[in-house]
Amino acid sequence: MQTASPPPTAPESRRRSLLWLLPLVLLPAFYEVSAFRLAGGLGFPLDDAWIHAQFARNLATGHGFTYTGTQWVAGSTAPAWTVLLAAGYFVVRSALIAGKLLGLVLNVLTAVLTARLVLHLTGVRGIAITAGLVVGALPAMTWGALSGMEVPLAAALVTGGFAVYLEPGPHLRRQAWALVLLALGVLARPETLVIFGIVSLHLVATSGGVRGRTRAAGLVLLVGLSILGPIVAFDLWTIGRPLPTTFYAKSGPGLLWALSAGDGPQVALLFTKHGPNALWRFGETMVEQVGPLAPVVFAGLVTAIASPVRRRGGALLAISVLAAVFAMGLVAPQRVKPENFRYTAQFLCPAVALGVAGLASWWRVFGPRWMRGAVLAACVASAAYAGVSGAPAYALAVKNINELHVTLGEWIRDHLPPGSRIAVNDVGALAYFGDHEVIDLEGLVSPGALAVDRAHRGLGFTQQTQPDYVAIFPGWYPDIAARPDLFREVHRASITDNLVSAGSVIVVYSTPWTRYPPIPRASERPRRRWPA
Amino acid sequence: MARLTRQDRFALVLYVSVAIAIGFADYRVRPGMQQDYGLVTYIPGVLDGSFGAPAIYRVLAPYTIDLFIRFTGIAPLVAFVISRLLFIYAALATTHVYLRQWYSPAASAGGTLGAAALLPLTFTDGWAHPDSFPELFLFTLGCAFVARKRDLAFLVVLVLAVLNRETAAFLALLWASFRLSEKVSPTTLWRAAAFALVCVAIYTGMRWLRGMRHYDYVMLRENWANLKPAGPGYDPYRRVFGLFWLILLAVPAWLAGKGLMASDMPLFIRRAVPVAGLFLVTCWTISRVIEARIFLPMFPLLLPAVLAAFTTPRSGVSHAAAVRG
């Protein structure tokens, strides 16, 4: 007589579920192999990653939150990531390895949290696992996992915050943890502030009675002040403004600028054009990210709103994501576009998760088990295809940054005399590898530059700071490039296949204040392939 | 399926007028200078291979219409219009007979007329594509043969349909989805594989015969961009052509979902709806959705389930009892 095999135990079931996440390790590995073959080494796909690395290295080696010299500066948009990266550097003594390992772990964590969230929304394990795989395989997430940047941290915190908030369980502790995760998400990507705000409002509004609402409001204030308060205080202490320098340097003609300038028409334009346009561009980003799965995700989003998924938290998810993206269009309208997916990855994940969760509304239609399995397998295959198709761009980006920024940074280290001060306009790898004090013409780590208007900043700020050398993209500062009488070219680095860099050429100029000439021959230090 | 009744014959006569009405709208809705583009540019271009991919691989309609023109000796434009009317009528009649598999003559006529009313939403191209109505006719006929388990007839229709347009391969998927859900046996597996092989053979064979030429395969970005209304220089309807596919399919898809909730729903109808979903995803990925005509196969895939939303009584009586009653 045959007996049925016993059901798997909980640990066995968890191990099996974890096996499903193996592809999320294989995909980043494919990206890195592609990059290694093209670039001849490992690296980061964006210079901004080296800014985090520089802050992290300084923090881990006892120099505090400094970038260059001894001055503390609030120059990181993602202090949570900077601190985490510093902890990683402290352990492995390599920002590159720490960044990638942490990114991989956080990407897998995001996938697990996505699955947990979708399981709560739908109750269907297969859909939940599929959602986790699809989110983890998004080109933005794979890129982010290897980028050395805050992308997977922000995604994990936002997804985790929603997952914890929406699940049933002891109320107060669950709510507190959700708020903590979302507040930390703000420290990973400041756009998450809108989501924190909406979830806080939802918490207060749905708490029963005056006492309940008061308690909820108190919890929000406590979490907000204790996590976000210190950062605001730090910003005020270091740069005299409540937000980090990156906001003032990069936000462009956004809402805060328009309000401070009293520009009413611009405010109206932001709400009527840029906000809706941000939503449109976000849709474009989703189409680019999920590829052939786009119709499924969009159809799933519609059905999720119209089905029981809505009552389980789908509506809150949708409103939070849409409001956050709209707000991005108000504050930094130039940022929301498909190629800037690193700014919206933490919104892409819950949006895609909700879209996949919408499949549950059609689950009855896919009758037999094999058909349901085929549908889910097709979803994962589509996601994998979209993920794999992002590898060439990643590889080229690493090549660009290595060949231009890292190479020039090493040249600066080897050829410019110790003690030289260098003004730069892409401050990541040039500072990390250059081993010299840098002056940031863009103002990210040199807030004084922001006081000079953009058109005259090159000449104006260099006259103020009097660096020994200037290393810039000539097209960004024509007021410098057009003055060979003052600024003489001593070296240049260039690439021909530029995809991600702000320019194809960086030129190093001597200045009227150059104290020490360049060193003609490279120093004896060996070229490092695995930089610390 | 019941034999054709008097009401069925009445409906088939009515469809003559309906076909002429649709043909008239189809002809006159195109801009004046492009009304004969299909005849004077497209068909000769496909025949001599100069039109470009993927049109040169979709040979059935151009060759059939060209043969019809030569055979009848009628003036080319008139013959082209007549051939188009014949295909429209064939599509309507086939739809009616297809729906009669499950529904009464009245319900079948209602479903066919409802589909006919939506057809103008597919006239978004600047010129009349010769393969559109043959596609509707052949795809519906293929669905009918799948539902009736007439595999040999289905094979003939499948070959013709794929020669007309490659997306007719979804007929093979429909066959597999329906028959393998009923019973997985060596026979059904072999036949499913054979039908798939036929589609692959025609697809690759046409490219081998006429030469491999590439075109834009992935259209996701363009499709997303076309969702935005066009600029103010266009007429009001033309500005939202990118949304016509949504207007065409949204309500029928919703109704199909409602219809599927009835108990005792025939297996074929339950299998056709997911195939329609997959068809939609494929079209969105590899075709231009602004050309709403590409969704014509959705008509026979969704119609049976859509009708179930109307014939299922509120008391929850089974679907079979409702259509018998």
Side-chain angles (χ1 to χ4, degrees):
Chain A
M1 184 178 79
Q2 285 185 337
T3 55
S5 54
T9 61
E12 278 175 8
S13 183
R14 266 197 291 274
R15 272 195 291 274
R16 269 191 218 168
S17 297
L18 285 174
L19 272 177
W20 287 106
L21 298 172
L22 196 60
L24 300 182
V25 175
L26 296 177
L27 195 52
F30 176 72
Y31 271 51
E32 281 299 342
V33 168
S34 304
F36 194 90
R37 290 177 67 182
L38 187 66
L42 299 182
F44 289 139
L46 217 56
D47 188 64
D48 290 10
W50 293 111
I51 298 178
H52 285 299
Q54 175 74 351
F55 271 120
R57 184 172 63 179
N58 284 349
L59 194 59
T61 52
H63 295 93
F65 218 95
T66 61
Y67 196 78
T68 187
T70 57
Q71 187 190 1
W72 287 44
V73 63
S76 174
T77 320
W81 172 250
T82 305
V83 168
L84 189 61
L85 188 59
Y89 182 92
F90 188 78
V91 174
V92 301
R93 310 309 280 190
S94 166
L96 189 76
I97 303 303
K100 290 183 187 291
L101 280 178
L102 285 169
L104 274 172
V105 168
L106 287 165
N107 190 29
V108 172
L109 180 62
T110 304
V112 171
L113 291 168
T114 300
R116 188 170 153 175
L117 174 65
V118 172
L119 186 62
H120 162 73
L121 291 174
T122 64
V124 181
R125 192 162 161 267
I127 295 179
I129 293 175
T130 300
L133 285 172
V134 168
V135 163
L138 290 173
M141 291 302 293
T142 310
W143 182 99
L146 303 169
S147 67
M149 299 187 64
E150 70 279 5
V151 172
L153 176 64
L157 289 168
V158 169
T159 308
F162 277 122
V164 171
Y165 184 72
L166 294 174
E167 278 180 0
H171 280 274
L172 189 64
R173 193 164 60 175
R174 179 177 51 80
Q175 291 161 355
W177 271 114
L179 289 175
V180 165
L181 289 173
L182 290 175
L184 288 172
V186 178
L187 299 187
R189 278 303 321 168
E191 297 88 354
T192 311
L193 185 64
V194 174
I195 292 185
F196 177 79
I198 290 176
V199 171
S200 301
L201 279 173
H202 182 267
L203 173 62
V204 172
T206 54
S207 299
V210 174
R211 195 172 163 184
R213 290 201 183 99
T214 308
R215 192 172 70 176
L219 181 63
V220 170
L221 272 173
L222 177 67
V223 171
L225 285 174
S226 57
I227 293 179
L228 303 180
I231 289 298
V232 174
F234 178 73
D235 293 344
L236 285 167
W237 175 53
T238 55
I239 64 169
R241 289 174 166 185
L243 299 174
T245 54
T246 48
F247 173 81
Y248 302 102
K250 291 186 175 183
S251 61
L255 183 64
L256 297 182
W257 172 87
L259 286 172
S260 62
D263 190 344
Q266 177 66 8
V267 172
L269 190 69
L270 286 166
F271 276 93
T272 57
K273 184 180 171 190
H274 291 291
N277 197 48
L279 291 172
W280 182 262
R281 299 309 291 267
F282 183 68
E284 225 175 352
T285 306
M286 282 184 70
V287 170
E288 292 261 334
Q289 288 292 311
V290 299
L293 214 48
V296 174
V297 170
F298 283 110
L301 281 168
V302 172
T303 52
I305 303 304
S307 70
V309 170
R310 182 186 77 240
R311 285 191 291 276
R312 292 187 193 177
L316 177 64
L317 263 173
I319 291 169
S320 301
V321 168
L322 290 174
V325 173
F326 190 87
M328 273 188 79
L330 300 180
V331 173
Q334 76 286 5
R335 293 274 205 117
V336 187
K337 33 189 175 181
E339 53 270 35
N340 285 352
F341 51 74
R342 71 186 189 276
Y343 298 130
T344 53
Q346 71 275 25
F347 308 136
L348 280 171
C349 294
V352 171
L354 191 59
V356 176
L359 278 176
S361 307
W362 293 90
W363 217 223
R364 274 192 62 200
V365 175
F366 305 122
R369 210 171 152 178
W370 68 264
M371 185 177 282
R372 294 178 180 184
V375 168
L376 296 180
C379 290
V380 173
S382 297
Y385 170 78
V388 164
S389 61
Y394 171 80
L396 184 56
V398 170
K399 180 174 183 282
N400 288 165
I401 299 301
N402 281 1
E403 286 184 352
L404 189 60
H405 300 255
V406 174
T407 301
L408 188 64
E410 291 176 337
W411 184 91
I412 287 173
R413 179 197 66 202
D414 296 339
H415 288 85
L416 295 188
S420 303
R421 296 161 68 243
I422 304 147
V424 301
N425 78 291
D426 237 4
V427 75
L430 295 187
Y432 190 88
F433 292 97
D435 273 354
H436 283 75
E437 183 184 341
V438 294
I439 298 159
D440 180 16
L441 293 172
E442 292 296 309
L444 299 182
V445 298
S446 305
L450 299 174
V452 185
D453 77 273
R454 196 76 182 77
H456 305 103
R457 191 180 292 167
L459 201 52
F461 197 54
T462 50
Q463 282 172 337
Q464 276 183 36
T465 53
Q466 299 181 350
D468 297 282
Y469 294 92
V470 172
I472 56 167
F473 298 104
W476 279 58
Y477 291 99
D479 50 342
I480 291 177
R483 295 296 302 268
D485 55 319
L486 296 176
F487 302 98
R488 284 194 198 160
E489 179 176 329
V490 298
H491 184 70
R492 63 169 50 203
S494 63
I495 52 177
T496 53
D497 51 3
N498 183 27
L499 178 68
V500 295
S501 190
S504 300
V505 181
I506 302 179
V507 179
V508 180
Y509 300 92
S510 63
T511 72
W513 313 282
T514 301
R515 291 170 290 171
Y516 321 108
I519 302 168
R521 276 187 294 226
S523 70
E524 293 305 316
R525 273 183 289 185
R527 183 188 170 85
R528 292 170 300 193
R529 172 165 277 200
W530 297 82
Chain B
M1 189 204 82
R3 295 174 67 177
L4 287 181
T5 65
R6 214 160 66 138
Q7 287 87 351
D8 292 313
R9 287 192 282 274
F10 290 161
L12 292 174
V13 171
L14 176 62
Y15 296 150
V16 174
S17 303
V18 175
I20 294 172
I22 293 170
F24 169 68
D26 171 52
Y27 186 82
R28 293 297 290 264
V29 79
R30 320 288 176 178
M33 70 288 282
Q34 291 193 300
Q35 282 167 340
D36 59 357
Y37 181 92
L39 174 68
V40 302
T41 307
Y42 179 80
I43 289 177
V46 172
L47 296 184
D48 66 20
S50 65
F51 197 85
I56 57 171
Y57 308 126
R58 298 166 181 171
V59 295
L60 182 83
Y63 275 92
T64 305
I65 294 171
D66 184 63
L67 268 172
F68 179 76
I69 292 171
R70 288 171 198 275
F71 182 75
T72 59
I74 304 173
L77 183 59
V78 175
F80 175 69
V81 168
I82 290 173
S83 69
R84 209 153 166 79
L85 285 174
L86 289 173
F87 277 121
I88 295 171
Y89 181 80
L92 294 174
T94 308
T95 301
H96 181 96
V97 171
Y98 167 56
L99 292 173
R100 284 287 283 123
Q101 170 85 3
W102 307 280
Y103 297 102
S104 65
S108 302
T112 304
L113 291 172
L118 290 176
L119 277 176
L121 290 173
T122 65
F123 301 162
T124 53
D125 287 84
W127 48 282
H129 246 273
D131 61 21
S132 298
F133 289 117
E135 181 183 23
L136 180 60
F137 162 56
L138 289 169
F139 204 96
T140 307
L141 191 61
C143 288
F145 285 139
V146 172
R148 286 161 175 73
K149 299 184 185 176
R150 304 260 198 92
D151 291 348
L152 193 57
F154 171 70
L155 176 63
V156 173
V157 172
L158 180 67
V159 169
L160 293 173
V162 177
L163 282 170
N164 186 60
R165 198 175 161 86
E166 299 90 344
T167 43
F170 275 83
L171 283 170
L173 181 64
L174 177 67
W175 190 98
S177 172
F178 171 47
R179 298 289 288 274
L180 291 175
S181 296
E182 259 189 348
K183 182 184 175 188
V184 179
S185 68
T187 308
T188 48
L189 283 170
W190 275 115
R191 288 187 184 183
F195 293 139
L197 204 61
V198 162
C199 298
V200 170
I202 295 173
Y203 183 90
T204 50
M206 289 310 303
R207 278 144 184 82
W208 177 69
L209 269 171
R210 309 213 84 187
M212 185 72 200
R213 287 186 226 177
H214 294 286
Y215 50 97
D216 289 334
Y217 293 112
V218 181
M219 303 297 291
L220 282 167
R221 216 183 209 195
E222 185 177 329
N223 287 334
W224 177 258
N226 279 332
L227 292 178
K228 252 189 182 175
Y234 295 97
D235 70 74
Y237 284 106
R238 172 65 184 86
R239 292 184 69 187
V240 292
F241 267 5
L243 294 175
F244 266 40
W245 66 275
L246 191 62
I247 300 167
L248 176 71
L249 297 176
V251 173
W254 173 67
L255 287 172
K258 292 289 181 192
L260 283 180
M261 289 180 191
S263 60
D264 265 3
M265 186 64 62
L267 181 63
F268 175 87
I269 298 177
R270 281 188 277 131
R271 291 294 166 265
V273 173
V275 172
L278 192 59
F279 185 85
L280 174 70
V281 171
T282 305
C283 285
W284 241 87
T285 307
I286 65 172
S287 302
R288 298 179 71 221
V289 299
I290 195 172
E291 296 182 45
R293 64 181 179 86
I294 64 172
F295 293 109
L296 284 171
M298 298 282 277
F299 280 59
L301 290 173
L302 289 179
L303 255 181
V306 169
L307 274 187
F310 292 94
T311 63
T312 304
R314 285 190 184 198
S315 59
V317 170
S318 76
H319 178 268
V323 296
R324 278 196 302 271

